[in-house]
Amino acid sequence: MKNKLYGIILCLYSGLRIGELMALQWSDIDFTKGILAVSKSCHDGKDGLIIDEPKTITSRRVIPLPKQLLPILKGIKRKSSSPFVVSANGKPVSVRSYQRSFELLLKRLNIPHKGFHSLRHTFATRALECGMDVKTLSEILGHKNPTVTLNRYAHSLMEHKADMMNRLGKMLVLKTE
């Protein structure tokens, strides 16, 4: 899998922010327990990547990873010569560079422009559609409370709304004579 893609996939299945992804090191992933620890974030500075504290206190968190993602990450780690999960030639990748790679990928696939943060929105929406409770999702995203999660990320699709309404409609029983 191309270096440019697996970071995107990891965000789609963990809800990481781009700064958290770029700061993520292999030592932050416990393959035995299947968890990822978010303990730092980063941003671009004049002299390269600046690794810092996460956005908020609640941004420090442990995320259980889908078991289907673990073999992919293990394979990437085996081939990696960098302590960073996303790297180029063994070195960390700048936030701006990775955002640009994402934009070019969207363009190549003829997908309308979306910011990298849209991956986090997609993760949150899909998690809710799969039945994840809002409290769990809120903790995975590193939000202070579930209200933040619902207000910012829970974009329901029309087909999902229709499906939910049809489930509700099944309770309607009309007697015909």
Side-chain angles (χ1 to χ4, degrees):
M1 187 173 297
K2 293 274 189 212
N3 189 5
K4 304 286 187 208
L5 294 178
Y6 67 83
I8 293 167
I9 291 168
L10 184 54
C11 287
L12 282 169
Y13 288 90
S14 67
L16 291 176
R17 297 174 179 98
I18 191 169
E20 295 167 342
L21 175 68
M22 297 294 97
L24 190 66
Q25 296 184 339
W26 291 114
S27 58
D28 297 320
I29 300 174
D30 183 329
F31 287 99
T32 306
K33 293 180 181 174
I35 57 174
L36 178 155
V38 178
S39 60
K40 54 195 169 297
S41 188
C42 70
H43 61 276
D44 294 339
K46 286 189 293 184
D47 300 322
L49 209 58
I50 297 172
I51 296 179
D52 210 345
E53 295 291 313
K55 185 178 175 184
T56 64
I57 291 170
T58 54
S59 292
R60 277 187 183 273
R61 62 201 187 276
V62 174
I63 301 171
L65 293 170
K67 63 183 178 185
Q68 298 84 347
L69 194 55
L70 293 171
I72 296 167
L73 291 172
K74 283 180 186 176
I76 294 162
K77 183 183 180 192
R78 273 193 297 273
K79 297 175 189 168
S80 178
S81 60
S82 172
F84 290 90
V85 174
V86 176
S87 63
N89 302 319
K91 296 184 178 171
V93 177
S94 74
V95 173
R96 183 170 295 158
S97 173
Y98 204 73
Q99 284 173 322
R100 181 74 181 132
S101 295
F102 178 68
E103 291 166 5
L104 291 172
L105 177 65
L106 292 179
K107 189 174 187 175
R108 195 171 75 222
L109 296 172
N110 292 317
I111 297 172
H113 175 76
K114 298 282 182 196
F116 195 89
H117 202 72
S118 64
L119 299 174
R120 191 164 155 87
H121 287 257
T122 301
F123 167 77
T125 302
R126 296 293 178 247
L128 290 171
E129 288 176 348
C130 288
M132 186 181 291
D133 65 277
V134 179
K135 175 72 172 140
T136 299
L137 177 59
S138 177
E139 291 174 5
I140 288 171
L141 290 171
H143 290 157
K144 189 175 182 178
N145 61 57
T147 304
V148 174
T149 305
L150 285 172
N151 288 339
R152 289 192 188 154
Y153 296 99
H155 308 298
S156 186
L157 301 174
M158 184 53 77
E159 55 190 61
H160 182 68
K161 290 176 187 175
D163 184 45
M164 293 296 106
M165 293 303 285
N166 286 330
R167 284 188 193 183
L168 179 65
K170 287 179 182 175
M171 294 171 27
L172 176 64
V173 179
L174 296 175
K175 288 190 177 193
T176 56
E177 294 182 85

